[in-house]
Amino acid sequence: MVGLVLLFWVPISLAAPGLPLVNIIDAGDEGTQYSLSLQVLVLMTVLTLLPSILLMMTSFVRIVIVMSLLRQALGTAQTPPNQVLIGLSLFLTFFIMSPVIDTVYEKAYQPYLSETITAEQALEEAQIPIRAFMLNQTRQEDIAMFAEIANYDESLGLDKVPFTILAPSFLTSELKTAFTIGFLIYIPFVVIDLVVASVLMSMGMMMLSPMMISMPFKLMLFVVADGWALLMQSLVSSFLVAQ
């Protein structure tokens, strides 16, 4: 008996009308409105792509590369650990990007929540400060290179450059800048390694590792010069000067 009831109840329940998963309403002059299900879908997609967005459109790439090169220059292997470097890079990224985040929140997110602008208008407003930040940090040569590859007409102006060209140009510029800063950081530590290696060779201590002797001197130099504060100040200034 129970089996017969379940057999008839399941098709009826499946055939019962419900709320559509995607509901798009054309509101005329007010734009297009999306159902809650579609908004959740878009939100989950954005959260999935958030790490890529963080890497492509913020200062995170430059900071984490410089931190990694500094650790290698000090010769401290896994100290500080990767978790510390990533966390420090994230906090510095939020500090540097705070003006951009505030602008997006005030001009795009809040008006969208108050329903004064549509989702398309909010997306357009959010692109303006992000695009301005990326253009300020991107070299013209890199934009020209990717524009030539994509057969894009540069005479249209930088404000019209699509994100498909701006994002790789920005990443290329950030990598070049990060390695340039890393090279400048490496120089004093390489000098210490050369001096220690020369002293050990002159004393006939060829079996003693120069890295083991030079690392305390490099740490002392870095601490005495207040290296962390200088590095943070230089990284933040490198973005503020470009703006």
Side-chain angles (χ1 to χ4, degrees):
M1 185 66 181
V2 177
L4 291 176
V5 173
L6 291 177
L7 184 62
F8 286 102
W9 179 79
V10 171
I12 294 174
S13 62
L14 291 177
L19 292 176
L21 179 62
V22 177
N23 186 14
I24 303 176
I25 303 174
D26 188 4
D29 296 336
E30 297 180 0
T32 305
Q33 298 179 359
Y34 300 94
S35 66
L36 181 60
S37 300
L38 185 59
Q39 293 177 4
V40 172
L41 178 62
V42 172
L43 178 61
M44 295 302 296
T45 304
V46 171
L47 290 177
T48 304
L49 298 176
L50 188 59
S52 299
I53 296 174
L54 180 64
L55 290 177
M56 289 191 299
M57 301 181 182
T58 65
S59 58
F60 180 81
V61 173
R62 183 189 305 184
I63 297 172
V64 74
I65 290 178
V66 171
M67 295 291 183
S68 301
L69 292 175
L70 171 64
R71 184 174 63 181
Q72 294 181 14
L74 289 172
T76 55
Q78 296 298 320
T79 305
N82 292 331
Q83 292 85 348
V84 175
L85 292 184
I86 296 298
L88 186 58
S89 301
L90 284 174
F91 279 113
L92 273 181
T93 299
F94 289 136
F95 177 77
I96 294 171
M97 299 297 296
S98 58
V100 178
I101 296 174
D102 293 340
T103 304
V104 172
Y105 180 78
E106 293 175 0
K107 295 187 176 181
Y109 186 70
Q110 279 189 337
Y112 176 70
L113 287 183
S114 60
E115 298 182 355
T116 57
I117 60 176
T118 61
E120 292 85 354
Q121 293 174 341
L123 184 60
E124 292 177 359
E125 290 292 334
Q127 289 180 4
I128 296 175
I130 297 175
R131 178 185 293 272
F133 172 81
M134 296 174 68
L135 285 173
N136 287 332
Q137 308 300 327
T138 306
R139 292 179 172 85
Q140 301 295 328
E141 299 83 10
D142 297 326
I143 296 179
M145 178 185 67
F146 283 100
E148 182 180 358
I149 295 174
N151 295 324
Y152 175 77
D153 188 6
E154 298 181 63
S155 61
L156 297 177
L158 294 177
D159 295 337
K160 302 296 183 179
V161 174
F163 271 103
T164 54
I165 295 177
L166 182 58
S169 304
F170 173 74
L171 282 176
T172 305
S173 298
E174 287 295 285
L175 289 173
K176 184 176 181 179
T177 303
F179 277 95
T180 302
I181 298 174
F183 170 76
L184 298 176
I185 292 175
Y186 249 96
I187 292 178
F189 300 113
V190 171
V191 171
I192 294 177
D193 288 333
L194 291 174
V195 171
V196 171
S198 300
V199 171
L200 292 178
M201 288 289 292
S202 63
M203 296 176 63
M205 298 181 179
M206 293 178 292
M207 301 300 294
L208 186 61
S209 175
M211 293 294 297
M212 185 176 61
I213 304 300
S214 63
M215 188 173 67
F217 291 99
K218 291 190 287 187
L219 291 176
M220 182 181 65
L221 173 65
F222 190 71
V223 172
V224 170
D226 199 6
W228 286 113
L230 290 175
L231 181 63
M232 304 299 174
Q233 183 180 5
S234 300
L235 285 173
V236 174
S237 300
S238 66
F239 290 98
L240 297 180
V241 170
Q243 296 178 1

